[in-house]
Amino acid sequence: MRFGLIVKNAHLGTHEDLRQPSTPGDPLTVGKDGDTPEVVGVRTSKNDVLPRNVKREVGHFPQVEQEINRPLGRDGVVGYRFEFLVVGQRKLGVNRDFDAPVLMLDDDHVTAPVRVHGSLTFVTGASKPAACIKSACPSLPSALRVDGREAHRLTHALGYNAGSFFLRDMAVPAENLVEIKDLDFAYDDRPILDGISLQIPRGKVVAIMGGSGCGKTTLLRLIGGQLRPSRGEVLVDGLSVPHLKDEELYALRRRMGMLFQFGALFTDISVYDNVAYQMREHTDLPEEVIRDMVLMKLNAVGLRGAHQLMPAELSGGMARRVALARAIALDPMLIMYDEPFAGLDPISLGVIGQLIRKLNDALGATTIMVTHDIQESLLIVDFIYFMSDGKVVALGTPDEIKASTHPFVHQFVHAEADGPVPFHYPASPLARDLLGKGVHEQP
Amino acid sequence: MSSPESSAVALIARLGHLVNGALQRLGIASRFFVTVLLWSGQSFRRLNLTIREIYYSGFQSLLIIMVSGLFIGMVLGMQGYETLQRYGSADALGILVALSLVRELGPVVSALLFASRAGSSITAEIGLMKATEQLTAMDMMAVNPVARVVAPRFWGGVISMPLLAALFSATGVFGGYLIGVVFIGVDEGAFWSQMQASVDFRYDVWSGIVKSFVFGVAVSLIAVFEGYEAVPTAEGVSSSIKSTVVKSALAILALDFVLTSFMFREAG
């Protein structure tokens, strides 16, 4: 999701001025002394989950002069310093009636925070304004009005006391982005999940681990609304996933990204088109803007140079990285990974692991990762749940897990062949089988 | 050893199970058909999606359709002449070739060819997309795979089929002309004038168009359904492709019988 601040009462200079890269470290100034710039709206692409009043507010300001966009920074990290690429005169999808220059922040030029002269008034929050506002507008306004769910995250990111500037419509979101309560699920008569409960805190990278067939992937599919539980509750951002209507579920999924075990790239289109897919489906951004966004996403995963390749031309690790770029195409609030490390060489594995961590922090997202790879997970996650037989059998931070004496955790961490997860599939006694009794003849 | 009675019961049970399964499958297919229709809006709003499928299913089937049409027309020319000249009616060759093609062979054979050429590839494509989780990925991206993948392919097939049948008939008539008039020497004037006089647009051409449209719906539906419902394994996809060809062929022939009965009754 591209995010932009729409500012009025400030000047950006000419188109050519804006093309000149600033000196590194030198703040790029938006507005001149004496201006009283006002952020009148937050622009996001079409269909974003945006409070209704925002669109209305934007519509009320046809004379808007500037728009600042926040893409990913270098290596996919939105740091506290931004780099700017001035794109010049462009009309973005939402603002068709908007002829002013558009300023986009990018990672190829200068690193500098934006200094905004005068006071600012935020009309709303957007999907991820926090990191942007903190870095883009260090001289934050005293009067800040923020809507709903973003307020909580925003205040924390800004280091403000939450109560000091919540002026209206404050609804502090739950601390957990995902909550699973007493969940049962079965394929036909085969139970998979048995009364499982867990919480995924906002902003964290959480791993769900367990042996094959213990229901980890099923759990991801339940969170994504692809399966419906037979009992229990799945809450994502306060919404009960099993009870959502189709349109509501799709609206929620636009805020989720998922990386499938083998990438699930669309094989008949190029890497570039794969990453652009969601942008084209869900936004009406011009192709040139999509191009910039796609290249930035690919740059974040180190594959900008591979944008013309077809999926069949990629190695397993590269395909996984492209799938990762596609999963974050719209800057999701929740990223789910299904076995992200499966079948990767050690270098690719390390790269993917680091990307998962960095992208989560950069996007201010929350990550759920289903994996077997305990060693890599211990390096990058904040919290781990261990599942067995459809239940959570152990949980803890990486340090707690390393120190755990729980038999299941111990077996898993030390890759022991036998333990609570038995080496042998249940069978009749060996002696009985060898004596020819109880052995099923193969057809 | 089981008694004859228990064998009979087992046989009946098995039969019942098969019928039950088939009916259940038919129910699922019907529901799927309704879903495809409900999600067809995008196929027409974003016409390029459907046009792309018309290119892949229709345009790329042109060669096989036209070559087959030409050969079938030539065979009709030879066989028709051989029979008609016994009764001194060789001049009626044009009627025989045109009516056979427009009423029956055009829609039926082109639909059979379409099922094997385009239907099987649609099933394979959708089945493989399912097996490689591309459909699931699309669904997770809040893009409905029925609207984005299935419906355009369905409508691409439905639109292509009557056009292909018409081209099949046209090349077939040309094949008949080539053999009958150019090589055998049937009178050219009689060939064309008798054809013109006897082929009725309402009963012959229109019925052919209706047939090919119905076959187009049937073949395209079977192809997308088999692909969408394929077991997501190599074996499952292969079995679905086989199923598409077999079921399409049976559906075409059965529907042809039903439609012909109605049309014949109307004409009579």
Side-chain angles (χ1 to χ4, degrees):
Chain A
M1 170 56 55
R2 175 156 294 212
F3 159 74
L5 304 180
I6 300 170
V7 187
K8 71 171 186 175
N9 297 334
H11 297 87
L12 270 179
T14 66
H15 179 72
E16 283 309 313
D17 290 342
L18 293 171
R19 281 200 173 280
Q20 301 301 318
S22 318
T23 312
D26 183 24
L28 181 67
T29 301
V30 176
K32 297 173 179 171
D33 285 334
D35 284 345
T36 52
E38 188 181 3
V39 175
V40 293
V42 178
R43 190 199 67 75
T44 65
S45 27
K46 185 183 159 195
N47 294 334
D48 183 27
V49 184
L50 201 62
R52 279 192 188 146
N53 64 324
V54 175
K55 286 179 186 166
R56 209 163 49 239
E57 296 277 4
V58 171
H60 284 167
F61 294 97
Q63 303 307 318
V64 168
E65 292 182 23
Q66 295 154 14
E67 177 165 346
I68 304 170
N69 281 289
R70 179 198 64 82
L72 287 174
R74 192 188 300 279
D75 296 327
V77 179
V78 175
Y80 294 105
R81 297 165 74 80
F82 267 84
E83 296 176 316
F84 300 137
L85 167 69
V86 176
V87 174
Q89 300 248 3
R90 276 188 184 164
K91 291 181 188 180
L92 295 188
V94 173
N95 302 309
R96 289 203 177 102
D97 54 347
F98 168 41
D99 267 316
V102 172
L103 178 66
M104 296 167 67
L105 309 188
D106 188 52
D107 57 354
D108 286 339
H109 291 81
V110 185
T111 53
V114 178
R115 179 182 298 156
V116 179
H117 293 274
S119 64
L120 289 168
T121 302
F122 281 89
V123 175
T124 182
S127 64
K128 258 168 283 312
C132 174
I133 292 168
K134 182 165 185 178
S135 48
C137 311
S139 55
L140 210 75
S142 53
L144 188 64
R145 294 188 293 152
V146 187
D147 268 351
R149 295 192 174 115
E150 289 304 318
H152 187 73
R153 187 151 28 133
L154 189 59
T155 53
H156 276 280
L158 296 170
Y160 277 73
N161 178 346
S164 66
F165 61 97
F166 283 4
L167 299 183
R168 62 171 190 180
D169 297 338
M170 290 298 100
V172 177
E175 199 170 309
N176 296 318
L177 182 65
V178 179
E179 287 196 46
I180 289 167
K181 296 174 185 167
D182 212 11
L183 195 71
D184 283 358
F185 180 80
Y187 285 114
D188 297 326
D189 296 333
R190 190 163 57 95
I192 304 292
L193 300 177
D194 180 16
I196 192 168
S197 295
L198 52 85
Q199 296 81 38
I200 312 290
R202 283 176 192 273
K204 302 291 183 193
V205 178
V206 176
I208 297 173
M209 313 195 79
S212 299
C214 73
K216 306 185 298 288
T217 301
T218 303
L219 192 61
L220 280 194
R221 290 179 186 270
L222 283 158
I223 295 170
Q226 290 177 292
L227 299 172
R228 284 178 196 272
S230 39
R231 189 172 67 92
E233 191 63 273
V234 181
L235 294 172
V236 177
D237 200 24
L239 301 170
S240 172
V241 176
H243 299 108
L244 293 178
K245 293 177 189 158
D246 284 351
E247 318 85 76
E248 293 168 336
L249 185 61
Y250 274 177
L252 181 64
R253 283 182 184 166
R254 282 188 208 116
R255 299 155 67 202
M256 294 178 172
M258 184 154 179
L259 180 82
F260 289 82
Q261 189 168 353
F262 296 106
L265 294 175
F266 302 132
T267 45
D268 57 339
I269 55 178
S270 68
V271 163
Y272 177 95
D273 290 329
N274 262 282
V275 181
Y277 193 85
Q278 267 180 296
M279 300 172 193
R280 289 177 179 150
E281 291 289 329
H282 295 314
T283 74
D284 57 359
L285 290 172
E287 196 57 34
E288 62 208 53
V289 176
I290 288 178
R291 181 180 176 279
D292 292 346
M293 292 169 72
V294 170
L295 293 180
M296 282 187 280
K297 299 293 175 191
L298 284 171
N299 197 44
V301 297
L303 291 178
R304 184 161 44 84
H307 72 274
Q308 285 178 316
L309 299 181
M310 294 299 284
E313 298 172 281
L314 303 174
S315 68
M318 286 165 80
R320 210 70 59 87
R321 282 197 271 165
V322 173
L324 185 46
R326 187 179 69 175
I328 58 163
L330 295 182
D331 292 5
M333 66 171 180
L334 173 66
I335 314 175
M336 296 189 282
Y337 297 88
D338 187 7
E339 300 287 4
F341 306 123
L344 294 183
D345 62 76
I347 297 172
S348 303
L349 195 143
V351 168
I352 294 283
Q354 288 308 309
L355 279 174
I356 289 172
R357 180 76 243 183
K358 281 183 179 177
L359 289 173
N360 184 74
D361 297 343
L363 296 170
T366 303
T367 293
I368 305 174
M369 187 171 74
V370 155
T371 179
H372 292 110
D373 197 306
I374 182 76
Q375 300 309 333
E376 187 61 34
S377 303
L378 287 173
L379 296 175
I380 60 167
V381 303
D382 297 307
F383 204 80
I384 299 175
Y385 284 99
F386 278 97
M387 277 178 70
S388 179
D389 293 331
K391 290 192 175 80
V392 172
V393 292
L395 59 146
T397 62
D399 289 338
E400 288 167 349
I401 292 298
K402 282 179 205 163
S404 174
T405 54
H406 190 286
F408 182 87
V409 176
H410 194 269
Q411 184 187 5
F412 215 96
V413 172
H414 296 90
E416 290 162 352
D418 212 350
V421 180
F423 172 69
H424 287 289
Y425 190 79
S428 51
L430 178 64
R432 192 174 161 218
D433 278 353
L434 292 181
L435 290 171
K437 293 174 185 172
V439 180
H440 297 287
E441 287 180 11
Q442 293 297 314
Chain B
M1 203 175 145
S2 60
S3 69
E5 274 177 27
S6 64
S7 301
V9 169
L11 190 70
I12 293 168
R14 193 173 159 75
L15 193 68
H17 187 70
L18 279 174
V19 171
N20 207 7
L23 286 176
Q24 207 172 22
R25 186 94 176 148
L26 192 66
I28 296 170
S30 308
R31 204 174 60 179
F32 181 77
F33 184 36
V34 174
T35 311
V36 172
L37 294 181
L38 288 176
W39 285 98
S40 289
Q42 205 177 79
S43 305
F44 298 103
R45 275 198 307 277
R46 293 170 63 181
L47 211 55
N48 60 326
L49 293 177
T50 308
I51 290 171
R52 181 179 175 274
E53 298 311 324
I54 292 174
Y55 172 78
Y56 285 118
S57 313
F59 181 77
Q60 294 199 340
S61 303
L62 265 183
L63 186 67
I64 185 174
I65 291 284
M66 291 179 77
V67 171
S68 308
L70 188 71
F71 279 115
I72 285 189
M74 292 198 294
V75 169
L76 271 178
M78 278 192 272
Q79 294 278 18
Y81 177 77
E82 166 65 20
T83 311
L84 289 172
Q85 58 99 23
R86 285 187 205 168
Y87 305 100
S89 316
D91 288 350
L93 183 64
I95 308 173
L96 184 140
V97 170
L99 285 185
S100 313
L101 281 164
V102 170
R103 277 186 178 180
E104 283 300 324
L105 291 174
V108 172
V109 179
S110 60
L112 289 172
L113 291 169
F114 182 75
S116 9
R117 161 68 183 75
S120 56
S121 73
I122 290 173
T123 304
E125 192 183 6
I126 298 179
L128 281 171
M129 285 181 84
K130 185 179 182 187
T132 52
E133 290 191 305
Q134 293 179 47
L135 296 182
T136 315
M138 202 175 275
D139 199 30
M140 277 306 294
M141 288 182 205
V143 176
N144 188 316
V146 174
R148 187 67 174 68
V149 173
V150 174
R153 281 163 178 75
F154 172 76
W155 286 109
V158 171
I159 294 167
S160 300
M161 193 59 250
L163 300 174
L164 291 173
L167 282 167
F168 183 95
S169 298
T171 45
V173 168
F174 177 70
Y177 165 82
L178 211 61
I179 291 296
V181 177
V182 178
F183 289 103
I184 297 177
V186 173
D187 181 64
E188 187 172 358
F191 184 87
W192 292 118
S193 63
Q194 293 219 20
M195 188 190 297
Q196 222 169 1
S198 304
V199 176
D200 183 88
F201 186 83
R202 165 78 176 78
Y203 288 118
D204 301 322
V205 178
W206 184 244
S207 69
I209 293 172
V210 170
K211 272 185 182 180
S212 57
F213 175 77
V214 173
F215 297 159
V217 171
V219 172
S220 305
L221 180 65
I222 290 169
V224 292
F225 177 70
E226 290 295 333
Y228 200 74
E229 290 291 318
V231 177
T233 59
E235 193 186 5
V237 175
S238 138
S239 157
S240 285
I241 297 168
K242 184 183 70 191
S243 208
T244 292
V245 177
V246 172
K247 285 178 184 167
S248 296
L250 291 176
I252 290 163
L253 297 173
L255 282 169
D256 185 44
F257 172 72
V258 173
L259 290 170
T260 307
S261 325
F262 279 107
M263 286 164 181
F264 182 72
R265 185 178 296 175
E266 267 184 49

